Structure formats: structure tokens, C-alpha cells
Amino acid sequence: MDQSSDLDQILTAFQKDLQTGTPPLDALRAILTATSGRAVGLWRRQDDTLLQIGFCTVDDMPAETHDAFAAATKRVPLNETGLGIVKAVQTAAPALADLDTQATVLETSATWLARFAARRSLAVPTLSNGTINGVLAVSTAKDLTPGHAEWDLICRLAAELGDLLPTSD
């Protein structure tokens, strides 16, 4: 499947689920497949907090790891600076976290990467009308760097998702 086809299918799934208020698990699973990801999550911004819209992991992820991360990131204050999802919002730019804590200042993200059996994570802010309204994050065992197909797909998805996210309550 090519990247445009992946993008269109994923966005269609997101649109359907977000319009009905259903967690977008099918779309998140499609992102895992398209990016060879280990975990993927989507959050919307409400004031100084990120609220989890959905989180999904690969089938071989231990349930306790999945459940612990889902619970820990259900509501994330924007002062949790060790997380890539927070850095992406604070810098208004993609945030790359690395398993090697020497290579990243995102130590909390590095801890989760180890538990996910992932090497890197990419968190990309979403925007609506020029305002950051959320963040999409993917953790992968791949060497995720700018210019790779997976990096580009994640960034393109984030660029499209901003207008689909629910507005703040």
C-alpha cells in the first residue's frame, strides 16, 4: 500500500470515529501497521492539559504496559516536560524521543520506549486555524529520522488531523 492510500484510509477512519465520539482505534491500528509502530496515541489539547483521545499498541505488548501507559497519559499537564507529547506542544514542532537517554532530554519518554520495546518515538502537534489543538505520537523499533517514509506519514497525518479533533469543552 502506498503512503497516499495509507493516509486516505487512516483519515477516513479517524473522521468516522471522531464524528461519532468513538475512540479511533481502527485508525490508530492502521497507523501502527503503516509505520511499523509499537504504540500510537492521539491527544487533544484543553487549556494546559493534553486529554487522551485514543491509544493503541501492537498485539504482543504486555497488557500491564499498555494499561499503565494509557492510565498515565489519560490527562497530561503541559508541565510534564519529560514527555515528547508535551515537548511537541511546547515547541510547536515534531519531538523525537530516543531510547538512549544520553541522546534525548525526554527521559520519561525514554522509560516508556524501553517498556514498549521501541527505539524512538515521534510526537507531532496538530493544528486547527493555526492553533495547536492536539498531538499524534508513534513509538517504533525503527530508526525513525526526518525524511523516512514513516516520519513523513506521521507528520502528514498530524497536519490533517487538526481539523478533525474535537474542540475544547
Side-chain angles (χ1 to χ4, degrees):
M1 197 181 300
D2 69 36
Q3 203 178 62
S4 291
S5 178
D6 286 342
L7 183 72
D8 292 342
Q9 283 187 340
I10 293 167
L11 288 173
T12 298
F14 267 119
Q15 190 168 27
K16 179 185 77 120
D17 288 340
L18 292 173
Q19 285 177 346
T20 62
T22 304
L25 297 181
D26 289 340
L28 294 174
R29 282 189 194 96
I31 293 172
L32 283 178
T33 300
T35 62
S36 301
R38 300 279 306 147
V40 61
L42 180 66
W43 292 260
R44 72 177 174 94
R45 182 178 183 176
Q46 182 177 22
D47 302 319
D48 290 333
T49 305
L50 292 173
L51 303 175
Q52 187 184 99
I53 293 173
F55 172 68
C56 178
T57 58
V58 290
D59 292 338
D60 68 353
M61 184 74 59
E64 57 274 6
T65 299
H66 174 281
D67 294 348
F69 183 85
T73 62
K74 193 168 211 52
R75 296 179 61 88
V76 179
L78 290 178
N79 63 2
E80 292 283 333
T81 57
L83 289 170
I85 58 174
V86 171
K87 183 178 180 188
V89 171
Q90 289 177 337
T91 63
L96 184 65
D98 197 286
L99 180 59
D100 177 4
T101 56
Q102 301 297 318
T104 185
V105 296
L106 301 171
E107 292 179 14
T108 307
S109 285
T111 301
W112 284 111
L113 288 173
R115 292 181 70 182
F116 290 161
R119 181 173 179 188
R120 292 199 165 149
S121 69
L122 178 63
V124 183
T126 63
L127 292 99
S128 181
N129 299 318
T131 300
I132 296 173
N133 66 343
V135 64
L136 173 68
V138 179
S139 297
T140 180
K142 289 188 159 198
D143 186 20
L144 192 61
T145 57
H148 283 143
E150 292 84 359
W151 179 288
D152 293 343
L153 178 61
I154 295 163
C155 290
R156 289 177 63 200
L157 281 166
E160 297 288 336
L161 281 173
D163 289 331
L164 299 178
L165 291 182
T167 57
S168 294
D169 297 330

